[in-house]
Amino acid sequence: METALAKTPQKRQVMFLAILLLLWEAGSDAVRYSIPEETESGYSVGNLAKDLGLGMGELATRGARIHYKGNKELLQLDIKTGNLLLYKKLDREVLCGATEPCILHFQLLLENPVQFFQADLQLADINDHSPEFPEREMLLKISEGTQPGTVFPLKIAQDFDIGSNTVQNYTISPNSHFHVATHNRGDGRKYPELVLDKALDREERPELSLTLTALDGGVPPRSGTTTVRIVVLDNNDNAPEFLQSLYEVQVPENSPLNSLIVAVSARDLDAGAYGSVAYALFQGDEVTQLFVVDQITGEIRLKRALDFEATPYYNLEIVATDGGGLSGKCTVAIEVVDVNDNAPELTLSTLSSPTPENAPETVVAVFSVSDPDSGDNGRMICSIQNDLPFLLKPTFKNFYTLVTQRTLDRESQAEYNITITVTDLGTPRLKTEYNITVLVSDVNDNAPSFTQTSYTLFVRENNSPALHIGSVSATDRDSGANAQVTYSLLPPQDTHLPLASLVSINADNGHLFALQSLDYEALQAFEFRVGATDRGSPALSSEALVRVLVLDANDNSPFVLYPLQNGSAPCTELVPRAAEPGYLVTKVVAVDGDSGQNAWLSFQLLKATEPGLFGVWAHNGEVRTARLLSERDAAKHRLLVLVKDNGEPPRSATATLHVLLVDGFSQPYLPLPEAAPAQVQADSLTVYLVVALASVSSLFLFSVLLFVAVRLCRRSRAASVGRCSVPEGPFPGHLVDVSGTGTLSQSYQYEVCLSGGSGTNEFKFLKPIIPNFLPQGTGDEVGKTAAFRNSFEFN
């Protein structure tokens, strides 16, 4: 094998010369077999596995195959037994021609891992061809004056066999004038010469007909015959003689047709017709099809195109004959000069496509190159593009492997178009390009990736079960099953959160559903993690955080804390008739279990016994006098106050107030000191009033404490995680955000004093003295401080 690596700028063409030399030395001892030609197909040439020292099962597991130049299928390998079988009959003459010995070189290729073994098959010649003369009859014109011992050349017989099976001897039929002498030519072939033993006498016998027989050396021998007709001529005592007995010329194989090869020349000392010379090609084999000689000038010209790869040498024999029948002979040795007229050939043996990504150095393709030219015209270099992650490595003789130079990444590039360029070193250089496509198969090397690291979902309370509340989404850069994503809920970090009963996820598309109706007052927010897992092997996964915020709905009506609306005896508010306009009568206290604007409460006076006498402040529920009181105003008044939230639609509640107008706390309830009956009546009224006020205050305080206890129990059971922020927007001027506490924005302590004297008892006005009972704060704080206290001091 001839391999040349040119020093080009492409450093990748160095081709690991040291490795190539090692492989060459390792494969130099080839296994050789020998069989006779024309052996029947199916013949067992030998056991290749045994001869190479390979295990019988190793051929099958390593992908063994036989490679012959040009991918001709001459032999076949039984990979189960290791036997090398003949695929068809082999004709040595067709495969090797005159070349001896006839050796067919082939290789055993093991693909996994790549390994080569050289093997040779020698075809032994058998005697399957008989000698054949180019003509059925040879004509010789011999002058009767020719002296005995004169030699006359005869045309040789063709035998396609070689060695001992080719022509070995010539004989001629018995006669008294001639015998045949057999001689060896320079190329190893034998040729006959007719030797005159006895002078001819034209008058006695003007013509002779002899049979020339050619015998080969086979067992049994084969033969061929031709007729030699001899015409006896008058005396011609000078035969033509060539100026040179041997002409040597070199002819390029691409010489045009009819181009001059060489001109031969012979002279004859005779005169007249006996001195006139005519030239002709002596042998009648294939050279007569390639060359032609001008019988007058002796110029030899090209008749058909030459092919160095088919026949590099030709020996022509030119005979010059004079008019008297005498002849002379010379030899023209033609050497065909090779030109670079054959482009390199590439034969792909194996191609591994697709090739998995992330794999270390992988053999992608195995191929061989050849060029039938010789010298530099047949030396080749191989290359691929520089921007590819592949490398060409020479392995065995003209075999190369295409391997990955680094790990491939399908997500970066899933397909490579590789052009293998094979260039010879001739002038001009010829090249062949072979394109292969290598696909990169996917490996599960990318975990699913969520479009967001965290998701915030909103759901309004009192939702219907199985409500779609949102979705999560993850993508995977891999392909096929490696990119198919499955979603799941991950175990919550808070073990007290019943996640499995709250939400579910669709494993295929990541849709999230609320499994039950949510209650904002019990659970304002919760969070959990979802996982996305692909279907690769091994599977890869990732996770994301999902936070669900429950939005409040206006599902709670305002609740009136004071005055109590429980159907018990109504609480009567006392108002002195001397009260100024804007006097604080009482305050309606209410709360709303909702939040935000759903808990913003407003107050409105719906009905009153005497319209225009009292008014309610819309934002805090304080009931105050609207004008000065007069004696004409009725003593008892009933007020109906509407408490309404700001939800959509709004919810409301009503509170009923009873107001009693008193005149200085002395009339008509306290008698004058001068009259005993009046004094008794005043004392009785005072006792009743004190008892009533104490009872109402006690009942109110107990109700408030009971309500606060119930609210605290409900809030301790709620798994509240957070609260939504108050929606943006202007705060209405007539509303107040009580944040779960209604209108208890401050506390009031009232003082009721009775002052006794020597004349008339006086009832002091009711007035707030300590406005610090109920501090404003958060919803939880207000829910715990909903107690409204009234204390009364008597002096």
Side-chain angles (χ1 to χ4, degrees):
M1 178 186 72
E2 294 180 349
T3 302
L5 299 179
K7 296 182 179 179
T8 64
Q10 298 179 347
K11 295 183 179 180
R12 300 174 61 188
Q13 306 308 320
V14 177
M15 302 299 180
F16 298 94
L17 183 58
I19 299 177
L20 177 61
L21 294 176
L22 291 175
L23 291 175
W24 169 254
E25 293 176 2
S28 60
D29 296 330
V31 177
R32 177 167 293 183
Y33 300 97
S34 179
I35 62 171
E37 66 170 328
E38 302 295 337
T39 302
E40 293 294 328
S41 61
Y43 175 79
S44 179
V45 177
N47 191 291
L48 192 57
K50 180 178 178 182
D51 296 337
L52 293 176
L54 300 175
M56 184 176 299
E58 191 174 357
L59 296 178
T61 58
R62 295 183 63 182
R65 66 170 67 181
I66 295 296
H67 177 82
Y68 182 73
K69 179 180 178 182
N71 280 347
K72 294 179 181 179
E73 193 167 6
L74 304 180
L75 301 169
Q76 60 183 7
L77 178 64
D78 189 344
I79 61 176
K80 295 182 180 179
T81 63
N83 289 333
L84 186 64
L85 305 178
L86 197 60
Y87 181 73
K88 62 181 179 180
K89 282 185 179 182
L90 302 180
D91 190 345
R92 190 203 64 80
E93 287 73 24
V94 173
L95 295 175
C96 297
T99 303
E100 175 63 19
C102 180
I103 299 177
L104 305 180
H105 303 284
F106 65 95
Q107 296 83 31
L108 173 66
L109 169 61
L110 303 180
E111 294 183 359
N112 186 22
V114 176
Q115 189 175 4
F116 296 86
F117 294 94
Q118 177 67 40
D120 299 331
L121 177 63
Q122 181 175 353
L123 294 180
D125 183 58
I126 64 173
N127 192 22
D128 57 343
H129 293 85
S130 298
E132 293 182 4
F133 286 93
E135 299 175 358
R136 293 184 179 182
E137 183 181 275
M138 298 183 192
L139 177 61
L140 293 179
K141 295 180 180 182
I142 302 175
S143 174
E144 61 180 352
T146 304
Q147 296 297 319
T150 303
V151 176
F152 301 93
L154 298 176
K155 294 182 180 181
I156 66 174
Q158 296 290 329
D159 193 329
F160 294 105
D161 296 323
I162 61 173
S164 61
N165 292 326
T166 190
V167 177
Q168 299 296 321
N169 192 25
Y170 292 90
T171 63
I172 199 165
S173 57
N175 65 92
S176 60
H177 292 278
F178 298 94
H179 75 274
V180 171
T182 303
H183 300 282
N184 291 325
R185 282 175 44 168
D187 59 359
R189 292 193 291 177
K190 299 182 183 297
Y191 64 94
E193 287 184 343
L194 188 63
V195 181
L196 181 62
D197 294 331
K198 179 182 177 182
L200 299 175
D201 186 357
R202 179 180 177 278
E203 288 71 24
E204 179 182 355
R205 192 174 183 179
E207 185 173 323
L208 287 82
S209 182
L210 305 177
T211 300
L212 180 63
T213 302
L215 296 173
D216 63 20
V219 180
R222 292 174 175 263
S223 62
T225 61
T226 186
T227 300
V228 178
R229 189 165 64 90
I230 301 173
V231 177
V232 182
L233 303 175
D234 284 337
N235 287 335
N236 182 21
D237 52 0
N238 289 287
E241 292 182 2
F242 282 92
L243 300 180
Q244 295 177 225
S245 62
L246 176 64
Y247 292 84
E248 294 180 343
V249 293
Q250 292 182 334
V251 181
E253 64 173 326
N254 61 345
S255 298
L257 299 182
N258 203 37
S259 60
L260 178 63
I261 304 299
V262 68
V264 298
S265 178
R267 64 182 180 177
D268 196 317
L269 299 177
D270 293 325
Y274 292 143
S276 178
V277 177
Y279 301 94
L281 291 172
F282 186 70
Q283 63 266 43
D285 51 10
E286 72 273 9
V287 296
T288 59
Q289 301 177 6
L290 295 172
F291 304 97
V292 63
V293 60
D294 190 293
Q295 64 178 356
I296 298 175
T297 63
E299 292 180 348
I300 301 174
R301 295 186 178 272
L302 189 61
K303 184 179 178 181
R304 293 180 58 180
L306 300 177
D307 187 1
F308 170 83
E309 288 72 34
T311 306
Y313 299 97
Y314 292 95
N315 285 319
L316 304 183
E317 290 184 341
I318 307 299
V319 62
T321 306
D322 59 19
L326 297 181
S327 63
K329 188 175 65 172
C330 74
T331 301
V332 179
I334 301 176
E335 179 185 357
V336 181
V337 178
D338 182 45
V339 297
N340 194 24
D341 58 345
N342 291 280
E345 297 178 358
L346 185 148
T347 303
L348 187 66
S349 298
T350 180
L351 176 63
S352 300
S353 181
T355 298
E357 64 174 335
N358 297 340
E361 182 176 299
T362 304
V363 176
V364 177
V366 179
F367 63 92
S368 62
V369 295
S370 61
D371 193 321
D373 294 321
S374 63
D376 287 342
N377 296 333
R379 294 186 178 95
M380 298 159 289
I381 57 175
C382 295
S383 63
I384 60 175
Q385 304 99 301
N386 288 329
D387 57 346
L388 297 178
F390 297 94
L391 188 67
L392 282 179
K393 287 186 177 181
T395 53
F396 182 79
K397 291 191 176 180
N398 283 342
F399 277 88
Y400 291 84
T401 57
L402 178 66
V403 299
T404 56
Q405 190 178 22
R406 59 179 184 269
T407 56
L408 304 179
D409 184 12
R410 188 203 64 82
E411 289 71 37
S412 298
Q413 188 168 350
E415 178 179 319
Y416 292 91
N417 293 317
I418 304 174
T419 300
I420 303 174
T421 303
V422 186
T423 307
D424 62 25
L425 301 180
T427 302
R429 293 193 175 189
L430 301 179
K431 70 177 181 179
T432 297
E433 293 184 346
Y434 193 92
N435 297 317
I436 62 175
T437 299
V438 178
L439 303 178
V440 183
S441 60
D442 185 53
V443 174
N444 192 27
D445 56 348
N446 289 279
S449 176
F450 280 94
T451 56
Q452 301 174 214
T453 57
S454 63
Y455 296 81
T456 301
L457 306 180
F458 298 89
V459 57
R460 190 167 295 279
E461 67 172 330
N462 302 325
N463 59 284
S464 60
L467 175 68
H468 176 231
I469 61 176
S471 302
V472 295
S473 178
T475 57
D476 197 312
R477 296 181 61 200
D478 295 318
S479 64
N482 297 332
Q484 296 178 5
V485 179
T486 301
Y487 301 90
S488 62
L489 297 178
L490 300 180
Q493 297 179 354
D494 184 3
T495 57
H496 299 290
L497 180 67
L499 182 62
S501 62
L502 290 176
V503 293
S504 68
I505 190 170
N506 188 312
D508 296 327
N509 52 30
H511 291 178
L512 291 166
F513 300 89
L515 296 179
Q516 62 180 350
S517 179
L518 301 178
D519 184 8
Y520 172 83
E521 286 71 35
L523 182 64
Q524 283 81 39
F526 61 94
E527 62 183 24
F528 55 91
R529 306 191 74 84
V530 295
T533 306
D534 59 30
R535 297 185 181 179
S537 180
L540 301 178
S541 62
S542 60
E543 60 182 47
L545 178 67
V546 178
R547 180 178 177 86
V548 179
L549 301 180
V550 183
L551 301 180
D552 182 49
N554 193 24
D555 56 347
N556 289 280
S557 299
F559 180 79
V560 179
L561 295 178
Y562 180 85
L564 292 178
Q565 305 293 311
N566 54 3
S568 59
C571 177
T572 302
E573 305 292 342
L574 301 180
V575 177
R577 289 185 179 272
E580 296 292 331
Y583 175 83
L584 177 63
V585 178
T586 186
K587 181 176 182 179
V588 178
V589 181
V591 295
D592 195 310
D594 297 319
S595 65
Q597 66 180 10
N598 296 328
W600 295 349
L601 301 181
S602 62
F603 300 86
Q604 179 183 354
L605 182 61
L606 285 182
K607 293 182 180 180
T609 303
E610 186 173 346
L613 182 57
F614 299 97
V616 177
W617 286 22
H619 64 281
N620 59 8
E622 292 181 351
V623 180
R624 296 177 180 270
T625 57
R627 57 177 175 83
L628 289 173
L629 303 179
S630 65
E631 294 296 333
R632 293 190 301 271
D633 294 327
K636 295 180 178 181
H637 294 269
R638 180 175 179 273
L639 307 179
L640 183 61
V641 178
L642 175 66
V643 183
K644 182 173 66 174
D645 60 27
N646 196 42
E648 186 63 37
R651 292 176 175 269
S652 61
T654 57
T656 302
L657 301 176
H658 296 274
V659 178
L660 178 64
L661 301 181
V662 296
D663 190 5
F665 291 124
S666 59
Q667 297 173 358
Y669 306 102
L670 300 178
L672 296 174
E674 290 83 1
Q679 182 67 39
V680 173
Q681 183 179 5
D683 292 340
S684 299
L685 179 59
T686 300
V687 172
Y688 293 151
L689 182 58
V690 170
V691 172
L693 289 175
S695 300
V696 170
S697 298
S698 300
L699 181 60
F700 173 73
L701 182 61
F702 175 76
S703 300
V704 170
L705 292 176
L706 179 62
F707 177 76
V708 171
V710 171
R711 293 286 292 180
L712 290 177
C713 289
R714 288 182 60 189
R715 291 184 180 274
S716 65
R717 290 193 301 266
S720 173
V721 180
R723 297 183 57 86
C724 297
S725 60
V726 178
E728 297 181 358
F731 186 86
H734 64 287
L735 302 177
V736 59
D737 182 6
V738 299
S739 300
T741 63
T743 57
L744 288 178
S745 59
Q746 60 180 357
S747 63
Y748 293 88
Q749 187 174 24
Y750 295 93
E751 179 184 18
V752 179
C753 298
L754 287 177
S755 178
S758 59
T760 304
N761 292 333
E762 183 180 3
F763 186 84
K764 291 186 177 181
F765 293 154
L766 183 66
K767 59 181 180 180
I769 60 176
I770 306 177
N772 62 354
F773 166 57
L774 198 59
Q776 294 183 356
T778 63
D780 293 339
E781 294 173 348
V782 175
K784 296 177 182 178
T785 58
F788 182 86
R789 298 178 298 158
N790 291 330
S791 67
F792 298 89
E793 297 180 3
F794 296 89
N795 295 327

